[in-house]
Each structure stands twice: as structure tokens, then as C-alpha cells.
Amino acid sequence: MLGIRAKIVLPFTALFVATILVVAFLAARVTARTMDERIQAQMTDLTAVLSQAGFAGNPNVLRKVKTIVGGELATVDAGGAVLATTLRQDEALALGRLLAAEPPAAEAGAAPTRRLRLGVCVYRATFAPVGASHWHKGKAFLYLLAPEAEIRAASRRAARPILVAAACGVVAVVIIGYVVGHRISRPVKALASQARELARGGADGRLAATSRDEVGELAGAFNALLASLRRAEAKLVASERLAAVGQVAAGIAHEVRNPLSGVKMSAQLLRRRLRELGAGDEESVGVMLAEIARLEVIIDDLLTFAKPIQLKRERGGLNAVVGEVLDFMARQLEHAGITVRRELDEGLPTVALDPQRVRQVVLNLVLNAIEAMPNGGTLTARTRATDEAAVGELDDTGHGMAAEVGERVFEPFFTTKRGGSGLGLGVSRTIIEAHGGTLRFQPLETGTRFAFTIPRG
Ligand SMILES: Nc1ncnc2c1ncn2[C@@H]1O[C@H](COP(=O)(O)OP(=O)(O)O)[C@@H](O)[C@H]1O
Ligand SMILES: [Mg+2]
């Protein structure tokens, strides 16, 4: 797999290096050729000047001139015979042979330059006809010979700075490429290793955003993701715990239900007996029965919470259910100093409801109302019809709810009461929503209103 470094930095580095090399190579070639041409021109000029100086036939003078100009000199006649020269004898002989085969005169008009191999050494030669040759009857030529290798070396020397600069450029580009690549990939790698570390270490910790660039942004995004993962994890743990608690609670509720119904039956029997005997003690048995009903509600709430509810719907009136609960709780309400007002709409249409479940809801709301009015008050139970639903409302004149509590009252286990289960409203809402209705509360000037709807459909 190619890393970011290889994908981005390598191609650019290669491009830079290639460009530098091509440009440097062309520049070096041009410089070398220019140098070569300049040497050539100097030789031509020098030859022209020297050939007119009048000493061409004198080997001693030629030797002195050689030390000044730095090249070999030779004077030859039109037939190619060497008249005077600074060349070594073997080279002079070779020159004589070459020029005899191809005498200078034959080249008149051509560029007066030739390459001549004399023994092992190749010379570049320029020549010019010698003027005023009083020492020689025929026409003569002066040759200036410079070793080709030296000219080449001079040209190369001229081009060398360019090549050195290019090499420095290439090294610099490679170093910069490496550094840039490192700077790009290092934070990403650091981030990756941090993320791995976090994954291994589990729960807490965040990625440190080291920079304000895209990598920093990435770290921020990672952190957001991490936070939401942790929230999800916490939720999962909470719901798992809730499920476990629900299972246990449901088990206990189930065990308590049967003995409780035995107690209830006995209490009912007792009340009937007392009534028959006219003993007048039935009232305390009534309170007993109301308390048993409260226990039943708690058990029902727990069981409803633990299991998905299945409604047993039938067509019925809401008034009957509400009236039943109020009758049932009459003694306890009276006992708590609460006046009950019934504002039940007689023309309320029937709806499809599960009477037992809706009774559970109303009982929960009435119990909450009683608990909200420890010093007594008024409980108004109202039913009314809208176009879509039958509505039940329970208004109390109790202490009301703190503003910050709000919708949390519907959360399972949320309670502000000592010994409260916190299940009542949550379960009630679940039951009402299973009917397709809503359960809401509304603060009153004094007290609270809880209203639920059961759709007509
Ligand atoms: N009529 C009410 N007036 C004031 N607060 C209420 C009323 N009904 C419910 N609440 C608040 O909602 C909370 C949750 O109620 P609920 O789910 O029935 O659980 P519990 O009754 O066990 O506390 C209560 O603890 C209480 O703070
Ligand atoms: Mg309650």
C-alpha cells in the first residue's frame, strides 16, 4: 500500500529532480559548446596575427612564442613540407606526412581549421598564409596546434559549476521532499497510533489535537465520534441493567401477587361479615382494601414495565372506569382531606379500551394526586370529548412540580418521593400510547393537571 508520502511527495520530488537534470544537462552542453567556439575563435585570431608578424621561419622565435600562446606552432610550405616547428620530431614528421597528402593550399577558402592526429595526440589546428615571406620563395602557412583533449577539458571546466549547482539542487529537493513528506505523514501516523492506543486502553481519554490543520480537524471528528460511542455504550449498560432489574422485580411482583389476592379476598369477606353483624368497623377494612389496591398497582406497574403490554380492548365508556376508581378510593381520599369533584361528560362516546389497563392509569394518577396533597385539597376528575378522542383529566391542588423536572417524570425509576417506585407515570404513558393516545401534564396556578386521550377510532 502506498502511503500519503509516496502518493504526493514522491511524484513531485521526481518531477523536480528530472527537471533540474534536464535543464542542467542542456545548459552544460550549451556552455561547453560556447567555450569550444570561443577557444576556436581565439585560435583563429591568434593565427592570423602571428602569421603576419614575420618570424614564421625562425624556430627560435617560434619556441618563444609557444611559451606565450601555450600552443604548438609549425610553418609549412604549400606542398606540406615542414619548414620550422616547435613540435617534437616524430610529431613534426607525422604532420609533414599528413600535409603532404592534403596540403593547406587545397583548402583555401574552406574554414582554416582541421583536426590532425600526430602519433597518439590529436590536435586542433588553425592556419593562415604567412605574409612577406622573404626567407622562402614559395607560399607558406603558419599552423597553430592545440591538443584537442585540453580544449575539451577547458569546455568541461566551464560547464562544471552548472553541474555542481544541479547536483546541489537535486540533493536539496530530495531532502526537502523527505522533510515535507515526513511533516505530512507524521501527524497522521501519530493520530493513528494514538487512536490505536485509545482502542486498546478502552474507556476514557481523548485524542490530543496537535495542530490546527486538517489533521487537527480529524482529531476533533474522532473525539466527537468517541464521545458518541461512549454515550451509546453508557446507554447500553444502563438499559442492560434496567432489563436485569426489571426481570428481578417482575419475578418478585409475580410471587407477591398471589398471597396479596388472598389477603384481599379475606378482607372483602371480613368487610361483608362486619357489615352483616352491623359492627361498624368496616371503615378500617375499607382503608385496608385501598392500601391493597395501591400495592396491586405497584405490582401491575412492575409487571407492565417488565413485559411488553398486550391490550385486551373492548368498547366501553371512560366515565365508568374513572368513576370506579374514584368510588374505590373514596375512603382514602376522604381520609386525606381531599374533596373530589366529578365533572364527567355524560355524552362521552364509547372508545376501544382495555378497562383494566386504563384503570391502572387512572389509579396511578389519583395516587400521585393524593401524594401531592399531603394537607388535603381538591381533586377534580373530568372527562370530555374532542373530535378525535375521549379525554380524561385529573387536576389537583397540590404542591406542583419543580420546573426542571419536566418530562423526566415519565422516565422509569424517576421519583422525588422517598420510597417512590418512579414507575407509575412511565408505565401509564406506555399504556396510553399503546391505545394510540397521549399522556401529558400541565402546571396549574395551584397544582398540576394530568390529561390523557383515548382515540375514538
Ligand atoms: N400530581 C402530581 N403533582 C406533583 N408532582 C407529581 C405529580 N404526579 C407525579 N409527580 C412527580 O412525578 C414523579 C414520578 O411519578 P411516578 O412515575 O408516579 O412515580 P412515583 O409516584 O413512584 O414517584 C413523582 O415522584 C413526582 O415528583
Ligand atoms: Mg406514582
Side-chain angles (χ1 to χ4, degrees):
M1 195 193 73
L2 282 180
I4 300 180
R5 214 189 312 184
K7 277 189 196 140
I8 299 173
V9 180
L10 210 62
F12 277 103
T13 309
L15 191 67
F16 274 128
V17 168
T19 309
I20 289 173
L21 290 181
V22 167
V23 169
F25 178 71
L26 292 178
R29 266 186 71 136
V30 169
T31 306
R33 186 169 304 161
T34 309
M35 196 63 195
D36 188 286
E37 278 164 8
R38 191 179 301 162
I39 291 171
Q40 176 86 45
Q42 274 175 2
M43 279 174 70
T44 310
D45 289 351
L46 210 56
T47 314
V49 171
L50 294 178
S51 64
Q52 299 304 315
F55 53 71
N58 187 337
N60 290 330
V61 181
L62 285 186
R63 265 194 289 280
K64 282 202 181 101
V65 173
K66 173 191 167 179
T67 60
I68 298 166
V69 301
E72 303 288 347
L73 293 158
T75 308
V76 298
D77 69 9
V82 179
L83 303 174
T85 184
T86 60
L87 284 167
R88 284 201 324 261
Q89 201 172 357
D90 55 329
E91 291 184 335
L93 286 173
L95 179 67
R97 272 198 301 278
L98 275 174
L99 294 185
E102 208 177 325
E107 297 177 64
T113 299
R114 332 178 30 175
R115 274 193 181 72
L116 301 170
R117 171 173 286 281
L118 307 179
V120 288
C121 189
V122 177
Y123 286 96
R124 176 134 7 138
T126 55
F127 58 94
V130 176
S133 49
H134 49 86
W135 44 269
H136 181 68
K137 291 181 195 70
K139 202 165 171 52
F141 295 88
L142 179 71
Y143 274 73
L144 176 61
L145 300 120
E148 190 64 42
E150 270 176 31
I151 296 174
R152 290 254 170 84
S155 301
R156 273 202 294 275
R157 264 199 303 283
R160 192 176 296 157
I162 293 172
L163 293 176
V164 169
C168 290
V170 167
V171 169
V173 163
V174 168
I175 288 173
I176 290 171
Y178 181 80
V179 170
V180 167
H182 202 63
R183 283 190 58 168
I184 291 175
S185 65
R186 192 187 43 193
V188 176
K189 277 192 184 146
L191 203 64
S193 82
Q194 266 194 67
R196 265 198 299 277
E197 196 63 32
L198 269 183
R200 212 174 300 135
D204 42 289
R206 307 165 44 83
L207 295 177
T210 43
S211 51
R212 286 163 151 266
D213 56 10
E214 289 85 344
V215 175
E217 230 171 81
L218 201 62
F222 266 142
N223 281 334
L225 190 68
L226 219 58
S228 94
L229 265 176
R230 275 183 201 135
R231 273 197 300 276
E233 199 181 28
K235 240 186 215 163
L236 204 67
V237 167
S239 71
E240 251 169 24
R241 194 177 299 158
L242 218 59
V245 170
Q247 290 284 316
V248 172
I252 293 171
H254 204 77
E255 292 300 316
V256 170
R257 210 215 304 243
N258 289 338
L260 192 64
S261 73
V263 171
K264 184 177 166 186
M265 256 154 60
S266 307
Q268 278 165 342
L269 215 65
L270 187 63
R271 185 166 63 176
R272 205 181 312 147
R273 282 277 168 77
L274 287 173
R275 211 176 271 154
E276 281 166 9
L277 290 171
D281 279 340
E282 326 151 33
E283 201 173 307
S284 47
V285 182
V287 172
M288 213 164 121
L289 282 167
E291 291 298 336
I292 290 169
R294 186 208 286 265
L295 287 176
E296 279 179 334
V297 166
I298 293 173
I299 288 167
D300 284 347
D301 286 352
L302 269 172
L303 289 173
T304 312
F305 175 73
K307 268 188 268 168
I309 55 169
Q310 296 226 306
L311 294 181
K312 291 195 200 79
R313 288 216 208 200
E314 53 189 63
R315 279 216 94 72
L318 189 55
N319 287 347
V321 176
V322 173
E324 215 175 291
V325 174
L326 290 178
D327 288 347
F328 191 70
M329 296 301 290
R331 287 264 162 65
Q332 228 192 9
L333 284 160
E334 199 188 314
H335 198 75
I338 294 168
T339 316
V340 178
R341 280 172 44 190
R342 299 188 189 214
E343 297 179 2
L344 306 183
D345 182 355
E346 294 306 327
L348 201 67
T350 58
V351 284
L353 49 71
D354 181 335
Q356 205 182 321
R357 294 297 194 180
V358 176
R359 197 175 303 132
Q360 190 183 344
V361 172
V362 178
L363 204 47
N364 262 311
L365 298 181
V366 170
L367 285 172
N368 279 348
I370 293 172
E371 283 154 0
M373 298 184 284
N375 304 316
T378 307
L379 173 67
T380 308
R382 188 181 304 112
T383 57
R384 58 188 176 84
T386 66
D387 288 346
E388 301 91 35
V391 183
E393 287 175 349
L394 287 155
D395 297 1
D396 65 55
T397 56
H399 52 57
M401 292 191 317
E404 67 271 12
V405 169
E407 285 289 307
R408 293 194 59 202
V409 295
F410 295 107
E411 286 175 13
F413 303 117
F414 176 85
T415 181
T416 58
K417 297 165 196 167
R418 190 183 303 167
S421 74
L423 283 173
L425 288 180
V427 163
S428 297
R429 179 173 259 189
T430 310
I431 291 170
I432 293 299
E433 283 177 354
H435 281 84
T438 57
L439 170 62
R440 298 210 177 94
F441 69 88
Q442 181 189 336
L444 300 173
E445 212 162 301
T446 35
T448 315
R449 168 178 298 165
F450 277 85
F452 62 91
T453 64
I454 298 193
R456 286 175 173 213

mmCIF file of all heavy atoms in Angstrom, residues 364 367-368 371 417 421 424-425, ligand 2:
data_model
loop_
_atom_site.group_PDB
_atom_site.id
_atom_site.type_symbol
_atom_site.label_atom_id
_atom_site.label_comp_id
_atom_site.label_asym_id
_atom_site.label_seq_id
_atom_site.Cartn_x
_atom_site.Cartn_y
_atom_site.Cartn_z
ATOM 1 N N ASN A 364 -53.050 5.275 39.129
ATOM 2 C CA ASN A 364 -51.724 5.895 39.265
ATOM 3 C C ASN A 364 -51.842 7.401 39.408
ATOM 4 O O ASN A 364 -51.181 8.005 40.263
ATOM 5 C CB ASN A 364 -50.864 5.572 38.035
ATOM 6 C CG ASN A 364 -49.934 4.405 38.307
ATOM 7 O OD1 ASN A 364 -49.250 4.377 39.326
ATOM 8 N ND2 ASN A 364 -49.901 3.439 37.391
ATOM 9 N N LEU A 367 -53.411 8.313 42.780
ATOM 10 C CA LEU A 367 -52.433 8.103 43.854
ATOM 11 C C LEU A 367 -51.415 9.243 43.880
ATOM 12 O O LEU A 367 -51.078 9.772 44.945
ATOM 13 C CB LEU A 367 -51.725 6.757 43.678
ATOM 14 C CG LEU A 367 -52.549 5.528 44.037
ATOM 15 C CD1 LEU A 367 -51.811 4.247 43.645
ATOM 16 C CD2 LEU A 367 -52.855 5.510 45.541
ATOM 17 N N ASN A 368 -50.925 9.625 42.697
ATOM 18 C CA ASN A 368 -49.974 10.744 42.625
ATOM 19 C C ASN A 368 -50.610 12.021 43.162
ATOM 20 O O ASN A 368 -49.958 12.806 43.854
ATOM 21 C CB ASN A 368 -49.506 10.961 41.187
ATOM 22 C CG ASN A 368 -48.405 9.987 40.805
ATOM 23 O OD1 ASN A 368 -47.845 9.310 41.675
ATOM 24 N ND2 ASN A 368 -48.099 9.911 39.518
ATOM 25 N N GLU A 371 -50.737 11.952 46.858
ATOM 26 C CA GLU A 371 -49.402 12.169 47.412
ATOM 27 C C GLU A 371 -48.931 13.613 47.228
ATOM 28 O O GLU A 371 -48.070 14.092 47.966
ATOM 29 C CB GLU A 371 -48.404 11.197 46.754
ATOM 30 C CG GLU A 371 -48.530 9.788 47.324
ATOM 31 C CD GLU A 371 -48.081 8.699 46.363
ATOM 32 O OE1 GLU A 371 -47.660 9.021 45.229
ATOM 33 O OE2 GLU A 371 -48.161 7.527 46.749
ATOM 34 N N LYS A 417 -40.051 11.047 45.478
ATOM 35 C CA LYS A 417 -40.623 10.636 46.764
ATOM 36 C C LYS A 417 -39.726 9.619 47.439
ATOM 37 O O LYS A 417 -39.153 8.754 46.770
ATOM 38 C CB LYS A 417 -41.988 9.995 46.521
ATOM 39 C CG LYS A 417 -42.995 10.950 45.928
ATOM 40 C CD LYS A 417 -44.185 10.202 45.382
ATOM 41 C CE LYS A 417 -44.986 11.103 44.467
ATOM 42 N NZ LYS A 417 -45.958 10.347 43.694
ATOM 43 N N SER A 421 -41.594 4.379 43.596
ATOM 44 C CA SER A 421 -41.013 3.447 42.631
ATOM 45 C C SER A 421 -40.578 4.185 41.371
ATOM 46 O O SER A 421 -39.686 3.745 40.657
ATOM 47 C CB SER A 421 -42.039 2.371 42.263
ATOM 48 O OG SER A 421 -43.029 2.927 41.414
ATOM 49 N N GLY A 424 -44.864 4.681 37.992
ATOM 50 C CA GLY A 424 -46.275 4.986 37.695
ATOM 51 C C GLY A 424 -46.484 5.724 36.385
ATOM 52 O O GLY A 424 -47.212 5.246 35.508
ATOM 53 N N LEU A 425 -45.854 6.877 36.244
ATOM 54 C CA LEU A 425 -46.134 7.701 35.066
ATOM 55 C C LEU A 425 -45.557 7.069 33.791
ATOM 56 O O LEU A 425 -46.180 7.142 32.732
ATOM 57 C CB LEU A 425 -45.580 9.107 35.261
ATOM 58 C CG LEU A 425 -46.366 9.960 36.276
ATOM 59 C CD1 LEU A 425 -45.733 11.340 36.411
ATOM 60 C CD2 LEU A 425 -47.828 10.109 35.830
HETATM 61 MG MG MG B 2 -46.751 7.395 41.356
#
